[in-house]
Amino acid sequence: MKLKKLEISERVVQRLTEYLSILKEARKRDDEINSIELAKIMNTTSAQVRKDLSTFGEFGVRGKGYDIDNLIEIITKILGIDKINHVIIVGHGKMGEMLSSNVEVLGEGFKIVGIFDKDENKIGKIAENNLVIQDVRNVEEFVKNMKNEFNIKIDTAILAVIKEQAQFAAEELVKNGICAILNMTTYKLELNKNIKVVDMDISAKLQELNFWRINSPNEKI
Amino acid sequence: MKLKKLEISERVVQRLTEYLSILKEARKRDDEINSIELAKIMNTTSAQVRKDLSTFGEFGVRGKGYDIDNLIEIITKILGIDKINHVIIVGHGKMGEMLSSNVEVLGEGFKIVGIFDKDENKIGKIAENNLVIQDVRNVEEFVKNMKNEFNIKIDTAILAVIKEQAQFAAEELVKNGICAILNMTTYKLELNKNIKVVDMDISAKLQELNFWRINSPNEKI
DNA sequence: TAGATTGTTAATCGATTAACAATC
DNA sequence: TAGATTGTTAATCGATTAACAATC
């Protein structure tokens, strides 16, 4: 597989994750799919589907379409989830608990290897996935050990603390070598630009939904 | 408050939710803010901030900036979260449980009034927020009762079932008058276009983050 | 070969930004 | 009034789409 590498827009990457999920569904029914069918499910044009995919290479067969298994494999590679990515969860409140106990939710390609909290009542307890909840001050040591003993570099953290702690906790993580953060809080993190942050704010999404609900053109309430 | 009403882009609404969260933080420190400061926190230009806000009206004072409290109130109204919006949760697995037990997570303006599941072992049990978990087949009756007895119209559902059930469950909800769905599953729902759906897919967001991590220009792993 | 669908170019559309008159 | 910052216009930039040659 030859991957072109150039400027890739956020939108394209977002759609890539959607294509993947759609393809996994489609695979249950078919072996092949074309840009028209894919576009219909995505609510977009076939031109966009082809353009998106051609950002990364030539994966289709003219006159036929795309082999679903092949495309799944390619997108999986592009997203780096063809291998296990080791992540830590910081904050073991309701959200952290849900994330660590729900094997489904992270999807394939990710494995939780550490859980941290600052609450002394939680530290030392065993989470539902059988990991011991560690003191958040141990992140540094943990990351080092994983590197030295198992040669596992931990880059990614899921930040699930309360929003009042988000900025501080994130800065600590960055100090310990974390360069990618899935931010489950409502706090807008202010970090060095080379740190990748993706926000996952449920309340914001609900607000968005609510706006469209009350402002829908075919509103009839 | 006079609200202009015209074509509003998804991006603007998304940023509106971000402005709101930033303003709530800023209020702790200041009474006023200008577009330059707001832009800095948002990682954008002051022109965009002003343009975004002016989509909805004239809220600033030339030479001074924006009154934070005032702006919060306005955005809160625009997003329709100045009043309580009643939502139901469908699916009381790990995700549904987290949502219903975590008062923080939905943010202000939303209240869970019903929890539904199809698992007989769960039906009749009491969830952490003290609501009885109801049979999902009762949604119809529940929605009608809320309307008739309390004059509460339920428009919004949070879909937290397993992805294999997502499409079916969503269609049932729509039949019972739900017109806005926060989709917590990885399944790409295919519904009538007048139904508002916002996707909230944790695994997709992790994939996105992972892509940027491994493709960051200043990668040095 | 004829039919189909890709990959890509060029045209269009929409979103962002620079610049500035309006005005506090 | 002078200084500052808004709201808005016009210019720029980027993303989407239409169209079609390439090719299976």
Side-chain angles (χ1 to χ4, degrees):
Chain A
M1 185 177 71
K2 212 167 51 180
L3 281 195
K4 296 185 201 170
K5 189 144 176 184
L6 54 152
E7 286 313 298
I8 289 158
S9 82
E10 274 186 40
R11 311 299 297 273
V12 172
V13 180
Q14 279 165 13
R15 284 196 297 267
L16 219 51
T17 68
E18 284 189 64
Y19 292 133
L20 183 59
S21 128
I22 288 169
L23 289 166
K24 284 182 176 175
E25 274 305 311
R27 174 165 62 177
K28 294 177 187 167
R29 297 182 304 271
D30 287 304
D31 289 339
E32 291 183 338
I33 198 165
N34 63 42
S35 59
I36 301 152
E37 299 169 274
L38 213 33
K40 195 179 267 174
I41 306 174
M42 287 281 289
N43 279 325
T44 181
T45 60
S46 65
Q48 179 161 85
V49 172
R50 294 196 300 278
K51 188 132 231 274
D52 282 348
L53 295 176
S54 72
T55 311
F56 300 96
E58 300 194 9
F59 308 130
V61 179
R62 283 160 205 241
K64 291 192 82 184
Y66 301 90
D67 178 87
I68 296 183
D69 277 326
N70 181 239
L71 209 45
I72 289 176
E73 204 189 315
I74 285 162
I75 297 178
T76 300
K77 265 212 183 94
I78 293 172
L79 296 171
I81 53 176
D82 54 329
K83 44 181 99 57
I84 298 297
N85 298 281
H86 300 88
V87 307
I88 59 174
I89 293 186
V90 179
H92 198 258
K94 300 284 183 191
M95 176 64 80
E97 218 177 310
M98 186 276 288
L99 293 170
S100 61
S101 65
N102 186 347
V103 277
E104 287 271 284
V105 79
L106 301 193
E108 284 172 37
F110 300 97
K111 189 181 175 189
I112 300 166
V113 292
I115 302 177
F116 299 87
D117 203 292
K118 69 176 205 134
D119 181 351
E120 285 179 12
N121 297 314
K122 291 176 183 168
I123 294 167
K125 297 257 164 62
I126 296 181
E128 248 194 88
N129 63 355
N130 287 321
L131 287 175
V132 176
I133 300 170
Q134 300 179 65
D135 190 324
V136 72
R137 287 170 294 189
N138 279 6
V139 169
E140 182 173 3
E141 199 192 328
F142 180 80
V143 168
K144 277 185 188 153
N145 277 353
M146 287 298 278
K147 181 76 187 124
N148 294 337
E149 287 179 34
F150 307 103
N151 199 30
I152 290 174
K153 171 87 173 72
I154 298 174
D155 289 319
T156 305
I158 303 181
L159 191 64
V161 300
I162 56 167
K163 71 166 182 284
E164 286 73 16
Q165 289 295 322
Q167 182 66 30
F168 178 77
E171 285 171 15
E172 289 298 309
L173 290 170
V174 170
K175 278 184 202 159
N176 295 316
I178 296 295
C179 65
I181 295 175
L182 183 67
N183 177 24
M184 308 295 299
T185 80
T186 301
Y187 191 90
K188 180 95 182 149
L189 298 172
E190 298 182 67
L191 301 169
N192 192 308
K193 278 213 177 61
N194 60 5
I195 307 299
K196 307 294 160 199
V197 177
V198 168
D199 292 316
M200 179 84 210
D201 184 342
I202 297 180
S203 69
K205 286 287 173 188
L206 254 184
Q207 292 167 5
E208 217 182 300
L209 179 67
N210 208 48
F211 176 87
W212 294 117
R213 181 180 67 76
I214 58 187
N215 290 289
S216 79
N218 34 19
E219 187 191 357
K220 46 192 169 199
I221 298 167
Chain B
M1 183 177 72
K2 211 168 50 179
L3 280 194
K4 295 185 200 170
K5 190 145 175 183
L6 54 152
E7 286 313 299
I8 289 157
S9 82
E10 276 186 38
R11 311 298 298 274
V12 172
V13 180
Q14 279 166 13
R15 283 196 297 266
L16 217 53
T17 68
E18 284 188 63
Y19 292 132
L20 182 59
S21 128
I22 289 170
L23 289 166
K24 283 183 176 175
E25 274 305 309
R27 172 167 63 179
K28 294 177 187 167
R29 297 182 304 271
D30 286 305
D31 290 337
E32 292 183 339
I33 198 165
N34 62 41
S35 58
I36 301 153
E37 299 168 276
L38 212 35
K40 195 181 267 176
I41 306 176
M42 288 281 288
N43 278 325
T44 182
T45 60
S46 66
Q48 179 160 85
V49 172
R50 294 196 301 278
K51 189 130 229 269
D52 282 348
L53 295 176
S54 71
T55 310
F56 301 97
E58 300 195 9
F59 308 129
V61 179
R62 285 162 204 240
K64 291 191 82 184
Y66 301 89
D67 179 86
I68 295 182
D69 276 326
N70 181 239
L71 210 43
I72 288 176
E73 205 188 317
I74 286 162
I75 298 178
T76 300
K77 265 212 184 93
I78 293 172
L79 296 172
I81 52 176
D82 54 329
K83 45 181 96 60
I84 297 297
N85 298 282
H86 300 88
V87 307
I88 58 174
I89 292 187
V90 180
H92 199 258
K94 300 284 181 189
M95 177 65 78
E97 218 178 309
M98 186 276 289
L99 293 170
S100 61
S101 65
N102 186 349
V103 278
E104 287 271 284
V105 79
L106 301 193
E108 283 170 37
F110 300 97
K111 188 180 177 191
I112 300 166
V113 291
I115 302 178
F116 299 87
D117 202 293
K118 67 175 206 135
D119 182 351
E120 286 179 10
N121 296 313
K122 291 176 183 168
I123 295 167
K125 298 256 163 64
I126 296 180
E128 249 193 88
N129 64 352
N130 287 323
L131 288 176
V132 176
I133 300 170
Q134 301 180 66
D135 191 325
V136 73
R137 288 171 293 191
N138 280 6
V139 169
E140 183 174 3
E141 200 193 328
F142 180 80
V143 169
K144 277 184 188 151
N145 277 351
M146 288 298 280
K147 182 73 188 126
N148 294 337
E149 288 179 33
F150 306 102
N151 199 29
I152 289 175
K153 169 89 174 69
I154 299 174
D155 288 319
T156 305
I158 303 181
L159 191 64
V161 300
I162 57 167
K163 71 165 180 285
E164 286 73 18
Q165 290 294 322
Q167 181 65 31
F168 177 77
E171 286 171 13
E172 288 299 309
L173 291 171
V174 171
K175 278 183 202 160
N176 295 317
I178 296 295
C179 65
I181 295 175
L182 183 66
N183 176 24
M184 307 296 297
T185 79
T186 302
Y187 192 90
K188 180 92 183 152
L189 298 172
E190 299 180 67
L191 300 169
N192 193 308
K193 279 214 175 58
N194 61 5
I195 307 300
K196 307 294 160 201
V197 176
V198 168
D199 292 315
M200 180 81 210
D201 184 342
I202 297 180
S203 69
K205 286 287 175 190
L206 253 184
Q207 292 168 4
E208 217 182 302
L209 179 66
N210 207 47
F211 176 88
W212 295 117
R213 181 180 66 78
I214 58 185
N215 290 288
S216 79
N218 34 19
E219 186 192 356
K220 46 190 170 203
I221 297 166

